[in-house]
Amino acid sequence: METNHILIVEDDKEIREGVQIYLQSQGYKVFQAADGIEGLEIIDKEEIHLAVVDIMMPRMDGIQMMMKLREKYDFPVIMLSAKSEEVDKITGLNLGADDYVTKPFTPMELMARVNSQIRRYKRFMEKLEPKENVHVIGGLEINEDTVEVSVDGNPVKVTPIEYKILLLLAKNPGHVFSAEEIYERVWQERAINTDTIMVHVRNIREKIEVNPKNPKYLKVVWGVGYKIEKQS
């Protein structure tokens, strides 16, 4: 199981070490920094998945650190604040902090916030990971695992043959396939009469295009064949 890395940026050594002991007991790898400058140095050297950052610190406070951090990184940040630092807390949230904990706090409270933010970050990163069996061209998506087609998030019902034609074209965006090539690849036999391809293409267009007469995705290259247009 992957070990998540937590950075604690806090000028109070007792708080730093207390939080570290508790987080380590829960399976996290913990890094410590006494101020924002040290914190940023660690972030540049290590892979950090979440930072716990105090607002009031010498040299560089939590607000300044947050501004610098968000120029390059998007992992979650939990701010630590005293009750008297309400304005700073709001400023931190506006600058990109994901949550805050008011001092004094219990280890259980901080742990619950850390676990929640780590779960959210993992889900966010999973969505960003490219999926080998999902082909996305603009708003058109073909999922080989579920054998589903959607346009702009809306499911589209296609026949098995339409799906195979669409998948062939979507896996090769910009490539022009002749009717004969499509027939032979989809039906797995020699093409004798390819008139059926034109009918299937017309039906696919009716289902995936907003305006089938001016298609965005499935284009005809006259005298050559068909292609799925690349989308920027």
Side-chain angles (χ1 to χ4, degrees), residues 109-121:
E109 179 187 6
L110 180 60
M111 197 71 219
R113 303 293 181 95
V114 167
N115 289 338
S116 174
Q117 292 299 330
I118 286 289
R119 283 196 300 271
R120 289 183 187 179
Y121 186 57

Side-chain angles (χ1 to χ4, degrees), residues 1-205:
M1 189 171 67
E2 181 188 0
T3 301
N4 291 300
H5 299 175
I6 310 294
L7 171 64
I8 306 165
V9 189
E10 162 67 65
D11 61 322
D12 188 315
K13 186 178 179 182
E14 287 188 15
I15 293 177
R16 273 202 322 269
E17 293 185 345
V19 171
Q20 176 169 7
I21 290 169
Y22 199 83
L23 289 172
Q24 285 178 337
S25 73
Q26 302 299 309
Y28 292 107
K29 182 174 181 179
V30 180
F31 298 87
Q32 286 191 35
D35 56 50
I37 293 174
E38 284 185 18
L40 292 174
E41 288 173 353
I42 292 172
I43 288 169
D44 285 338
K45 293 176 185 175
E46 305 289 344
E47 182 182 7
I48 300 298
H49 302 113
L50 180 145
V52 178
V53 181
D54 188 25
I55 288 180
M56 294 300 293
M57 293 183 293
R59 295 212 300 168
M60 179 184 285
D61 64 23
I63 300 299
Q64 292 174 304
M65 179 182 171
M66 172 64 62
M67 292 173 67
K68 290 284 187 183
L69 184 158
R70 281 293 180 247
E71 291 175 4
K72 295 168 63 177
Y73 303 97
D74 58 11
F75 57 75
V77 175
I78 298 174
M79 303 293 287
L80 299 180
S81 70
K83 288 183 179 179
S84 61
E85 297 161 7
E86 190 72 24
V87 173
D88 290 330
K89 179 178 69 183
I90 293 168
T91 302
L93 290 170
N94 287 335
L95 289 172
D98 298 272
D99 202 353
Y100 67 90
V101 176
T102 302
K103 297 178 181 179
F105 55 86
T106 65
M108 290 294 290
E109 179 187 6
L110 180 60
M111 197 71 219
R113 303 293 181 95
V114 167
N115 289 338
S116 174
Q117 292 299 330
I118 286 289
R119 283 196 300 271
R120 289 183 187 179
Y121 186 57
K122 278 187 173 180
R123 287 198 295 268
F124 171 71
M125 295 305 292
E126 284 169 1
K127 288 180 181 178
L128 294 183
E129 289 178 2
K131 299 178 179 65
E132 291 183 5
N133 294 326
V134 179
H135 308 282
V136 179
I137 301 96
L140 174 65
E141 184 172 303
I142 299 98
N143 189 320
E144 287 191 72
D145 293 329
T146 60
V147 195
E148 293 175 330
V149 177
S150 64
V151 177
D152 296 330
N154 300 309
V156 175
K157 289 186 177 181
V158 294
T159 68
I161 291 296
E162 290 167 357
Y163 173 82
K164 288 180 181 179
I165 293 172
L166 193 53
L167 179 62
L168 171 64
L169 299 177
K171 288 173 81 170
N172 302 275
H175 181 86
V176 181
F177 288 89
S178 68
E180 288 80 9
E181 282 182 285
I182 294 172
Y183 190 97
E184 289 173 1
R185 292 209 189 191
V186 171
W187 275 267
Q188 296 291 300
E189 60 184 48
R190 188 178 170 208
I192 299 173
N193 185 346
T194 59
D195 290 346
T196 184
I197 299 298
M198 182 174 62
V199 176
H200 285 302
V201 167
R202 185 168 63 241
N203 290 340
I204 294 169
R205 272 181 168 175

